[in-house]
Amino acid sequence: MSASVTVRVPAKVNVQLAVGAARPDGFHDLANVFLAVGLYDEVTATPADTLRITADGRGADQIPLDRTNLAARAAELLAARHGIAPGVHLHLAKDIPVAGGMAGGSADAAGALLACGTLWSTGASREELLDICAELGSDVPFSLVGGAALGQGRGELLTPLTVGGTFHWVFAVADGGLSTPAVYREFDRLTQGTDVHAPEASAAVLTALESGDATALAGALTNDLQPAALSLRPSLTATLDAGTEAGALAALVSGSGPTTAFLVKDPEAAQRVAAALTASGTCGAVRTAVSPAVGATVL
Ligand code: C5P
């Protein structure tokens, strides 16, 4: 039996997040344009007597190491489907901001699934893995495939998108995470009594991605969850302003937040905006990254 399998998985930013009204099942229909960015977690699966999780790296002390961790649930679901005992030690090397709106937990779940599938030689097809991903969470299928994709339904129904160039980003990590369900609840509260439209993919976003045009993408970025995230965390406005004043092409909350994302022209602009954000004292760690990035990959 091979000693261990390590899988690298990227973070994501939403370049469009159009949110519809709450559905009877509590989820919201989305038009969610995911773009994978080159910040990565690594998941290592090693044979063990029982399922065990350890973690190190950025924010590792904030994640659960029991069976509530989505990576553990991924291993259990795959094992159950294939009649295997989930005897595996999963080690999560964290670099994606925890509870930050960049799909770190989803990345770990997708990584655990691919690592365990490889370790156990389940022979699970891509379709089966995507199916399990969708059962685990709305963002997990995208963590597996990476690149860029339009997510519909609750975000799990993916259509791959073409990206015609490299986009440069700066991410400002906020101190303390935001709970995704809480942000959606706040969205419901803020939109109560208003006419919430059915979400539709933005042609401007798709065209800008395809042409690799950062200025066009900057003009087209939208996030319907941003007012909710700002309502729960008003201090994020100062971070957004600091990045805009420093010359970012656009500033927005990443997914449900509280990480803020700044699209910039080139690597030099990324360094300038990152330095200004750090100096502003309005956020925690500041990271730079490029997109697109490939999905979950066995190293
Ligand atoms: O799918 P996932 O487990 O990541 O979703 C976490 C929570 O976020 C859900 O329980 C729900 O409250 C909210 N959500 C939603 N609509 C979506 C995706 C997530 O309301 N499309």
Side-chain angles (χ1 to χ4, degrees):
M1 194 187 282
S2 72
S4 63
V5 175
T6 297
V7 171
R8 194 177 78 151
V9 198
K12 62 85 183 164
V13 64
N14 306 87
V15 289
Q16 183 194 2
L17 186 43
V19 182
R23 313 191 308 202
D25 66 1
F27 286 91
H28 296 70
D29 274 322
L30 304 178
N32 188 352
V33 181
F34 292 105
L35 183 61
V37 300
L39 295 176
Y40 302 93
D41 280 1
E42 284 183 13
V43 181
T44 299
T46 308
D49 290 340
T50 55
L51 179 56
R52 191 162 74 88
I53 297 203
T54 54
D56 66 7
R58 292 171 188 268
D61 54 329
Q62 296 160 48
I63 61 170
L65 298 178
D66 58 17
R67 296 200 167 186
T68 62
N69 190 300
L70 217 49
R73 291 191 38 220
E76 282 176 333
L77 265 180
L78 182 70
R81 282 201 183 206
H82 289 268
I84 300 166
V88 66
H89 169 205
L90 295 172
H91 181 72
L92 313 178
K94 298 289 305 170
D95 196 40
I96 302 173
V98 172
M102 296 192 75
S106 299
D108 298 347
L113 198 58
L114 187 57
C116 290
T118 307
L119 185 71
W120 297 334
S121 303
T122 56
S125 66
R126 193 78 170 164
E127 286 65 38
E128 184 187 343
L129 291 181
L130 282 171
D131 203 43
I132 300 174
C133 285
E135 201 171 327
L136 288 163
S138 308
D139 289 350
V140 183
F142 180 72
S143 296
L144 190 72
V145 305
L150 169 64
Q152 289 168 297
R154 61 184 168 89
E156 85 287 21
L157 306 172
L158 298 179
T159 306
L161 297 173
T162 305
V163 183
T166 302
F167 293 101
H168 299 268
W169 296 94
V170 181
F171 295 98
V173 182
D175 295 323
L178 266 180
S179 140
T180 302
V183 175
Y184 275 100
R185 273 198 303 277
E186 184 67 359
F187 170 88
D188 290 339
R189 194 183 72 78
L190 293 175
T191 56
Q192 212 169 21
T194 69
D195 190 13
V196 178
H197 297 290
E200 271 181 53
S202 149
V205 167
L206 303 191
T207 306
L209 278 182
E210 196 168 348
S211 62
D213 183 336
T215 306
L217 185 62
L221 294 170
T222 57
N223 179 1
D224 286 355
L225 289 182
Q226 180 157 318
L230 293 180
S231 169
L232 295 177
R233 195 68 70 80
S235 62
L236 294 179
T237 303
T239 316
L240 293 170
D241 290 347
T244 305
E245 281 160 25
L249 298 173
L252 85 169
V253 171
S254 177
S256 57
T259 303
T260 43
F262 303 87
L263 183 60
V264 295
K265 190 162 155 272
D266 52 30
E268 291 71 38
Q271 291 312 319
R272 272 199 310 279
V273 170
L277 283 165
T278 303
S280 76
T282 63
C283 55
V286 177
R287 314 288 306 277
T288 60
V290 297
S291 59
V294 294
T297 307
V298 178
L299 297 182

